[in-house]
């Protein structure tokens, strides 16, 4: 088990220059998973008890938090994050908040899933970060309102117990709860500010929804697909290729460094479950002078299965969505796209349906995780 580095205490006051020069961070093992709180997946911060200094929605902004030392407003210093007012006690004799006092925000995950780790980022909150944080999760079907989620009959499970955190730091918190989660309640004790929230895990889709859809993208992140590995992640993550929608800019896809050998680059995916693939798309949107020259796609059935090419090496055009109807249905649990020799693609789509075995496996997992 890899130890998770932890940070506590204040950071030094900002002294000028690069505000990230003394930022405390580390490599966390769970960041290999997709961010289930990604706005692109449909995540949102739907409520908070207090956002006096800085609005809750900033928690999920994809870019890192920015800091302007001269930026002040009517309520004080304007921070890029979620920041609550300072809590006070009940009287002059007891001016301090109680041990139970805390602020909270409700987060709807973009895709329900099993959470493996959470990063509570307090960038630029050097002396005004929370003393500790805790995170709870629940699984509620449909599109519940904040009032629905705060009702007495909703069961919340502790994902991260009350844990001290540090200022101006990426605080990595591992999660060991095997449960399908749709919403989070993020608590800061007793008050303060959090710049960004990242929630890493595995998507667990609703089998009933996929059954109604019939044909769907069996590798899409929102449907439970995963980018398991890739030859090169120099410019951007492989998970970008299975995000919803078309790419919006060059770094919203997957791009490798320039090769200087005779090899090629690739991504390996795990499909939502065993599937029958009938058509596919390879999109190079916004990759104009750096798109892959050629690509091929292969599938295998089971971890120990053999790779079978379903799309032979095919010329790609820059900034173009390429569509292919397969001459025969391909059955598999994994897929691999190879690009030649290097460059990038923005999206991969594999259209098909679950096999009877795949549907059964997915339903069993969904039920086992409390779905």
């Amino acid at each position: 088990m890899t130890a998770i580095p932890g940070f506590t205490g204040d950071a030094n006051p900002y002294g000028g220059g690069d505000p990230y020069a003394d930022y405390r961070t580390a490599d966390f093992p769970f960041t290999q998973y997709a961010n289930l709180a990604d706005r692109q997946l449909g995540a949102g911060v739907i409520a908070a008890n207090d956002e006096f200094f800085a609005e809750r929605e900033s928690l999920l902004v994809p870019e890192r938090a920015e800091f302007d030392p001269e930026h002040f407003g009517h309520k004080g210093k304007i921070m890029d994050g979620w920041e609550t007012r300072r809590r006070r006690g009940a009287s002059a004799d007891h001016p301090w908040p109680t041990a139970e006092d805390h602020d909270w925000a409700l987060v709807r995950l973009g895709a329900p899933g099993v959470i493996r780790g959470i990063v509570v980022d307090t960038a630029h909150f050097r002396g005004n970060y929370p003393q500790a944080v805790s995170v709870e999760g629940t699984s509620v079907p449909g599109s519940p309102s904040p009032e629905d989620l705060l009702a007495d009959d909703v069961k919340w499970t502790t994902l991260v117990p009350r844990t001290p955190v540090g200022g101006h730091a990426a605080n990595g918190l591992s999660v060991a709860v095997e449960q399908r989660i749709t919403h989070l309640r993020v608590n800061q004790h007793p008050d303060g500010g959090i710049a960004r929230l990242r929630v890493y895990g595995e998507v667990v889709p609703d089998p009933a929804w996929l059954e109604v859809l019939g044909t769907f993208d069996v590798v899409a992140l929102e449907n439970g697909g995963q980018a398991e590995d890739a030859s090169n992640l120099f410019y951007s993550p492989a998970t970008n290729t299975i995000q919803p929608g078309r790419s919006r800019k060059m770094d919203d896809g997957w791009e490798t460094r320039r090769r200087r050998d005779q090899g090629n680059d690739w991504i390996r995916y795990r499909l939502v479950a065993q599937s029958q693939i009938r058509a596919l798309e390879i999109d190079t949107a916004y990759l104009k002078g750096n798109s892959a020259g050629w690509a091929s796609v292969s599938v295998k059935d089971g971890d120990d299965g053999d790779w079978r090419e379903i799309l032979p090496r095919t010329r790609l055009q820059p900034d173009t969505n390429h569509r292919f109807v397969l001459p025969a249905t391909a059955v598999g649990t994994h897929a691999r796209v190879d690009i030649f020799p290097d460059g990038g693609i923005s999206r991969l789509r594999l259209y098909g349906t679950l096999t009877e075995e795949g549907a059964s496996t997915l339903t069993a997992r969904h039920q086992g995780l409390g779905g």
Side-chain angles (χ1 to χ4, degrees), residues 24-255:
R24 296 177 287 176
T25 188
D27 291 327
F28 303 116
F30 48 74
T31 57
Q32 63 180 295
Y33 297 101
N35 177 19
L36 304 184
D38 192 333
R39 283 288 298 166
Q40 199 168 349
L41 275 176
V45 187
I46 61 175
N49 72 306
D50 187 316
E51 45 188 329
F52 185 86
F53 286 115
E55 60 272 12
R56 64 184 190 264
E57 288 87 355
S58 296
L59 283 172
L60 305 188
V61 169
E63 294 80 19
R64 72 177 188 172
E66 299 298 330
F67 179 74
D68 181 352
E70 304 299 326
H71 197 190
F72 286 84
H74 296 296
K75 294 182 179 180
K77 181 72 185 73
I78 295 176
M79 297 293 289
D80 185 6
W82 168 49
E83 185 180 8
T84 66
R85 72 193 78 201
R86 299 187 188 214
R87 282 185 170 269
R88 298 296 185 233
S91 67
D93 292 333
H94 298 280
W96 311 279
T98 69
E100 292 74 30
D101 284 344
H102 67 276
D103 293 317
W104 53 264
L106 295 179
V107 178
R108 178 191 65 242
L109 297 181
V114 178
I115 298 170
R116 302 303 182 191
I118 297 171
V119 173
V120 174
D121 189 346
T122 58
H124 315 305
F125 289 94
R126 295 169 176 269
N128 52 344
Y129 59 94
Q131 180 184 41
V133 299
S134 61
V135 183
E136 301 161 278
T138 190
S139 183
V140 179
S143 304
S145 68
E147 292 75 21
D148 294 332
L149 293 169
L150 295 172
D152 292 339
D153 61 345
V154 173
K155 178 184 178 182
W156 291 90
T157 299
T158 298
L159 304 180
V160 177
R162 186 167 174 165
T163 303
V165 294
H168 197 43
N171 298 277
L173 309 166
S174 62
V175 177
V177 176
E178 289 292 320
Q179 181 179 327
R180 182 178 185 265
I181 301 296
T182 62
H183 294 78
L184 299 180
R185 177 170 166 145
V186 180
N187 305 303
Q188 49 176 338
H189 309 266
D191 54 37
I194 299 170
R196 297 289 188 265
L197 179 74
R198 305 292 185 245
V199 182
Y200 296 98
E202 302 172 65
V203 176
V204 181
D206 182 352
W209 174 251
L210 297 182
E211 182 181 2
V212 170
L213 291 181
T215 297
F216 61 93
D217 183 359
V218 298
V219 75
L221 179 60
E222 61 188 323
N223 294 332
Q226 299 177 44
E228 288 191 320
D229 198 6
S231 60
N232 187 275
L233 301 172
F234 190 83
Y235 286 112
S236 43
T239 298
N240 281 357
T241 61
I242 53 175
Q243 287 277 11
R246 295 198 73 199
S247 176
R248 298 166 297 175
K249 51 183 179 169
M250 191 174 74
D251 66 351
D252 190 17
W254 171 62
E255 182 188 359

